[in-house]
Amino acid sequence: TQNHPLADLYARIPKVECKGNCGRDRWNTCCGPIGCSQLEAGLLEQFDGRTCDWGSTGNGNVVMLLNSSTGRICPHLGEGGRCTAYDVRPIICRVFGAVRALACPWGCKPQRWMTDREVHDLMLEATLRSAAVVAEVNKVVDILATTR
C-alpha cells in the first residue's frame, strides 16, 4: 500500500491487534455500512471487484447503502470475520478500535488511543485529497470527450 494515495494518512493510525471476531456478531456491530471518500470507495471496488451501492453525502464523500445483497454487513467481511479488502480499507475501518468512540467490542486494543481530533483531521484530509483526484479525473474525461 506504499503507492496508495492516502498511505501517509494511513501510517498515522496506530495498529490494532485484531482478533478477527467481527464475524461472530450476528448483528455485526463492527463491519456495517460505512462512509468514506470517493477515492476510497473506488479503491475498494477495484481491489476485489465486489460492488457496493454508494450514496452521496453531499460533501464529496459517499456512504455504503444498505441493500438486500449486503444487509447490515460489509460485503468485504469474509469468512472467519476477516476483511477481504484489508490493504485498501478506508480510514473509518482503520480507526475502528483505535479511537475510544469506536472501541472494539471484542477487546482488540490499539498501540495507543487516537484523539477524536486526530480522526477528524485524517478524514477531512482524505476527503480533500479525494476531491482533488476526482476533479483531475473529470478533467481528463472532459478532454477525452472533446477530442472524439
Side-chain angles (χ1 to χ4, degrees), residues 6 10 20 26 29 44 49 53 58 62 70 83-84 92 95 106 122 134 142 145 148:
L6 303 175
Y10 295 162
R26 173 169 104 94
T29 55
L44 268 176
D53 291 333
V62 293
T70 61
C83 179
T84 61
I92 192 66
V95 300
W106 299 104
L122 284 174
V134 170
D142 290 344
R148 289 187 175 178

Side-chain angles (χ1 to χ4, degrees), residues 20-35 66 70-74 77 81 92-93 95-97 99-108:
N21 289 325
C22 295
R24 292 179 50 195
D25 182 358
R26 173 169 104 94
W27 299 106
N28 209 291
T29 55
C30 301
C31 299
I34 59 165
L66 293 173
T70 61
R72 288 180 49 117
I73 300 172
C74 176
L77 184 64
I92 192 66
C93 300
V95 300
F96 185 85
V99 62
R100 291 186 195 281
L102 295 173
C104 175
W106 299 104
C108 302

Side-chain angles (χ1 to χ4, degrees), residues 19-136:
K19 297 176 183 179
N21 289 325
C22 295
R24 292 179 50 195
D25 182 358
R26 173 169 104 94
W27 299 106
N28 209 291
T29 55
C30 301
C31 299
I34 59 165
C36 64
S37 68
Q38 290 178 334
L39 177 61
E40 290 174 309
L43 290 170
L44 268 176
E45 291 192 355
Q46 286 177 1
F47 182 74
D48 64 5
R50 296 179 190 199
T51 58
C52 302
D53 291 333
W54 298 97
S56 174
T57 61
N59 65 356
N61 287 333
V62 293
V63 63
M64 185 186 295
L65 301 175
L66 293 173
N67 63 44
S68 59
S69 65
T70 61
R72 288 180 49 117
I73 300 172
C74 176
H76 300 283
L77 184 64
E79 295 297 318
R82 295 292 182 172
C83 179
T84 61
Y86 192 81
D87 290 339
V88 295
R89 70 198 187 285
I91 285 179
I92 192 66
C93 300
R94 292 169 187 266
V95 300
F96 185 85
V99 62
R100 291 186 195 281
L102 295 173
C104 175
W106 299 104
C108 302
K109 299 288 184 210
Q111 293 170 327
R112 70 170 182 84
W113 289 106
M114 295 181 75
T115 66
D116 292 346
R117 183 66 189 185
E118 285 177 293
V119 173
H120 172 271
D121 291 349
L122 284 174
M123 294 183 86
L124 178 60
E125 181 63 26
T127 298
L128 294 173
R129 288 188 194 181
S130 176
V133 169
V134 170
E136 287 301 313

